[in-house]
Every structure is written in structure tokens, then in C-alpha cells.
Amino acid sequence: MTAERLYHVSDQPGIPLFEPRPVRAGHPRGDLPPVVWAVGERLLHNYLLPRDCPRVTFYAAPGSDPADVARLLGASAARYVVAIESGWLDAVRAAVLWLYELPTDTFELLDPIAAYYVSRAAVRPLSMRRVDDLLGELARRDVELRVTPSLWPLRDAVLASSLAFSVIRMGNAVVAQVS
């Protein structure tokens, strides 16, 4: 059980019960049994985008090197950065998502950096809320949205840094151009 509020984000309204599902093929945690996934409220912003939208998300962790923070977060007043490709901006503007708040009693923390939680039991949502202004929702959550033609250079820089990060759906990212 956790003190953090937990959410599942979906493009489907009215889900009455979340059943454990097998982990998708190729997932880094493919060793898990079927589970229900949730994200902690602290990093909910990482999922306030269309499901298939590739993104690089990052923030300064307590042990992050100040040089990495200065180089990648810069002078931003936001605590978190979510970067997407410019080709996805229209889809983000048009998307509608539903936030399902989930009870915490059967969930366990799987990844503290990404705030991923899993439950091996089926879960009934406590509530559901429609979000039809994803950009506005991100802005209200201390997030800087970066829009770039390709995520690959930023991904490489973030992975080589000491920042906390999540790299999501990169299989859908534009292929980096070789010069």
C-alpha cells in the first residue's frame, strides 16, 4: 500500500474493472506475471499524452550532477520536462484521456524513479475524470513541454546523464537522420 494517489490513464472511458494483463512483448519487465499498471500522482504528467506518443521525460533527482541539471533543465522554472516530437503536437491537441484514480491497497511500487506501481489483483477505479486539454493539464503540473523534430538526441543526452528519466514509446519516434 502507498500514501501516493495512483492513476491509470486511458483513451477509453467507463472502464469498470482493471484486470491484470500480461506484460507486452519486449517490455523491459517482461518477467512480471499479469498485472494492473498504475502511476503515482507525482509523475502522472508522463502519461498525459496519447498512448502511442513517444516521449522523453526527466527531472533532477537528489543525487543529480549540477552540471547535468544546468545542461538539460537549463533555466526552466519547471521541475519536470516532458519532450515530444513536433509531428505529435496536433495529436496531443486533439486527444481526450480519462484519468482513473485507483485504490492503493493491492499495489506495490515497482520503479520509484518512474513512479510505476503494479497490482496482481483486479482493481475497481475510485473515480474517472475526463481530460480534454492535455497541454493545459501539463502546464498546471509544473511541467515544461518541449517539442522537437526528433527525440533521439535528447534521449541519448538524458540517458548519459545523472537525471531521473523515463523514455516511453520510442519505437514510435522519428528515426534520427544521419548526417
Side-chain angles (χ1 to χ4, degrees), residues 73-107:
L73 290 169
S76 177
R79 176 156 187 218
Y80 304 100
V81 172
V82 173
I84 65 168
E85 291 179 327
S86 50
W88 280 88
L89 189 54
D90 287 341
V92 171
R93 286 183 177 128
V96 173
L97 296 176
W98 280 265
L99 302 184
Y100 293 88
E101 185 174 356
L102 303 177
T104 61
D105 54 333
T106 62
F107 281 91

Side-chain angles (χ1 to χ4, degrees), residues 23-42:
V23 176
R24 69 178 162 79
H27 189 279
R29 294 301 309 260
D31 59 326
L32 287 173
V35 293
V36 174
W37 288 88
V39 63
E41 185 171 33
R42 176 176 62 90

Side-chain angles (χ1 to χ4, degrees), residues 2-9 38-48 80 99-102 104 114-117 129 137 141 143:
T2 176
E4 185 171 20
R5 292 170 72 181
L6 301 181
Y7 293 88
H8 186 92
V9 181
V39 63
E41 185 171 33
R42 176 176 62 90
L43 295 178
L44 177 59
H45 58 264
N46 290 350
Y47 291 89
L48 296 175
Y80 304 100
L99 302 184
Y100 293 88
E101 185 174 356
L102 303 177
T104 61
Y116 292 152
Y117 291 81
R129 179 170 71 92
E137 191 73 22
R141 293 179 174 274
V143 173

Side-chain angles (χ1 to χ4, degrees), residues 24 49-56 83-89 91 148-152 155 167-176:
R24 69 178 162 79
L49 296 164
R51 178 178 177 82
D52 290 332
C53 178
R55 64 207 87 149
V56 175
I84 65 168
E85 291 179 327
S86 50
W88 280 88
L89 189 54
T148 182
S150 173
L151 287 171
W152 292 103
R155 174 203 166 267
V167 176
I168 302 164
R169 301 281 191 231
M170 287 300 289
N172 298 331
V174 171
V175 177

